[in-house]
Amino acid sequence: MATKKFLGTQTTCPYCGVGCGVSISHKNPADPAAIAVCGNRHHPSNFGRLCVKGAALSETLGDRGRLLRPYLHGQATDWDTAMSFVANAFAENIRKHGPDSVAFYLSGQLLTEDYYVANKLMKGFIGTANIDTNSRLCMSSAVAGYKRAFGADAVPCCYKDLDRANLIVLIGSNAAWTHPILFQRMQAGNAKLVVIDPRVSATGELADLHLDIRPGSDAALFNGLLNFLAQHQYLDNHYIQQHTNGFQEALTTARTWSLQQTALHCGVSAKKLLAFFQLFAETEKTVSFYSQGVNQSSSGTDKNNAIINCHLATGRIGTAGAGPFSITGQPNAMGGREVGGLANTLAAHMTFNPDNINRLGRFWHAPRVALTPGLNAVDMFRAVESGQIKAIWIMATNPAVSMPEAGRVAEALRKCALVIVSDCVADTDTTRCAEVLLPATSWGEKNGTVTNAERRISRQRPFLHPPGEARHDWQIICDLAQRLGYSEAFGYSHPVEIFREHARLSGFENNGRRAFDISLLSDIQRQEYDVLEPVQWPVNQVNPQGRARLFNDGRFFTANGRAHFVPITPRAPLQQTCALYPLWLNSGRMRDQWHTMTRTGHARTLLDHSEIAEIQINPQDARQYNIEEGTLIALNSAQGKMSGRATLSEAQKPGQLFAPIHWSETLARDARVSALAAAVVDPHSGQPEFKQVPIQVEALPCSSYATLICPDIVAKKLWQWLHSAKDKNLLHWYRVPCTGGYRYELALHHPLNGRGLGTQLLGDIHGMHWQQIESLKNQRWVVYNDTLQLLIIAGNRWQDLPDRRSLERYLEMALPRVPAKLLHPIAPGVKIICTCMQVSRAQITKAIGNGMHSLAALGNTLGCGTHCGSCKAEILTLLRTVHASTAEE
Ligand code: SF4
């Protein structure tokens, strides 16, 4: 038999900062979109593994939902007309109001080459630093913390340290869900896992020790640890003397934090705290692994430094299996940091000092390098609101969902004189605010580099042609630059030319003073760029193969080469609970979703785990507020409101709730968790305090529910009806995409008038037929011509509505000869736990009842947990729960 030729592409996953290598193979050379995705076995970030999101990447390809051509004032137009309009508007605003009247808001999804030209244009040629990025929302406190301690935004660790560590302390990180491939590496090694988190997350479930500290008390905990290390002679005095400054000041501040006082302040037992302190003190190879739970705080930078202080005090930095490891959320947050994507930084790790401004001006031959930092994300959208910024270009991100006070941000964008959005997705909360829409290429079409959380630069390679009229972001930015008169500086014809310049700038007059240095790649040729292997910066004469760890020589990027201890006085969250808002809301990611679901929301299998915003609440609080499992609830804060479905969980402490960050107004009513958060920020980093939001909770007064299935064309009308509905009967809705259309779920005060709604939606479609069945439990309507147009099933309890997955299949099949068959009852729905192998909670529970008492046994029998492994924590919880209930019996 002839061997088929392998047509493959090695690229990088576009979702998170782990930066997994992905192998693409074409199933059918005649159909470029028919691809198979698997992990790249040779990529050092994942060695062939992918989490459920990466494994479902092929489901997100295709033109459905794509922005395929430019739009101006809501009308389709051509590129030349759209870009002339944008360039004239920018030029006019700059001429009349100065360069600070315009702004760019970028994204950690952009490739480094896109990011580089956007920064060069804004900071070098337009002459303003009003360019910030959504990375401000997730890791700017980590940047500020590293800079204060090391004099550079430089992550000292690498993923191998997770394999080599004997202790990994996860602080404010639910890595089992947010960075699943790294979490599997942690589990595969010998390290003990300590989780510091107010709630019992999936990661906490699998920890050796879980410290459920009071929200926001992390800095006190690490002050207490520093004090303990000093009291019990665990300090590395040689390292402190030779390589650091400021130890005594930091220790003096930490001295007040005795074990007892720290335990009291953090709300954990002194015994548990002592166990952690001793474990840390006695384990040389300790990695502290931290994320948004630390950063998204009004004192996030201090928390970072409190952690780093403990590593400096023990000399645990730059050595195998040890170090303070801030993990990035986005695929190219690190690339953005390299090029100066934040408003307070310049390219190639330069800061706004006269030497650097001069240096950058000479390198770029730039006429007007920005002299001072620009507005960070929160201040930028405030300036849009006040009219100070008159034109803003938002690239590849969705601030109308993700910014704190999201409702206010969306309103400011709607009122702004000019909002330009370049994106690959047509319909988001933010695109709906735009005057100009520009179609951008997406993953699979883009060509360039990204840098992951361990400083590893990997290639994103194209394997699909851009659809419609989509263009690469760097091309769109260069088009604007050329129309503004900067053709010479922006005359790139391929991303390798941008990468070369980026590499050259990193080494320009560097002389070992700036951490980011990839100058050895300055002359990279296109063929070399095409086959570039993943490599960790710095890549220079000293480190020609890259470098796994930084600071192993004890030299830092400060003026005297020593690291700085920072004295930390813990501060309470700026937002505080009160009589009106007595509960704390914590927020974070779900296992199978990413950001605002503009991509993962199209992959049907990824919605099996959770198709609506599920809000966790402790059973005790639930009783107090008359909330049952599955009740639709509303959260209210001083800033806004959010709705979702209650999940009763002992993982939440009484008085604390948890809600996911992903849902938007495009997908559901009142779905944005960010609408609840006040725009209060850390004074050093400008990062908003998302993790501690005071709220109140109430059950929505729903007494009727309806499931609607319809093809795309009817779904569009339904969506418009829902968004314009003044109908007070409607309390909540959300939607789920499925093959051939959508499923909508409605919650109402009173029973739905299905006939009335159907007539509103379909009244103008010729030759429509109706069938209707009513029973005590529910009412059913089906509307069809030669295909199914609308199926409505309504009832008084959402639990009684049929298995929704089965209903969705009606859209894929031919209309039955007797269409009324579609109204026959189907059993109520199932909850999928293992998305990869499609194994439900009921199947797992039944198997446990039949004697499968381990993860391995369940995996062997049902296959659950054997693929990406993201569901293991939930399976273990089921094992424990079923065992406990059996034992009680
Ligand atoms: Fe993608 Fe998952 Fe890897 Fe993150 S962990 S890069 S989402 S496959």
Side-chain angles (χ1 to χ4, degrees), residues 13-20 49-55 178-181:
C13 176
Y15 289 133
C16 85
V18 178
C20 294
R49 283 184 163 270
L50 290 179
C51 78
V52 63
K53 295 187 284 291
T178 58
H179 299 90
I181 297 302

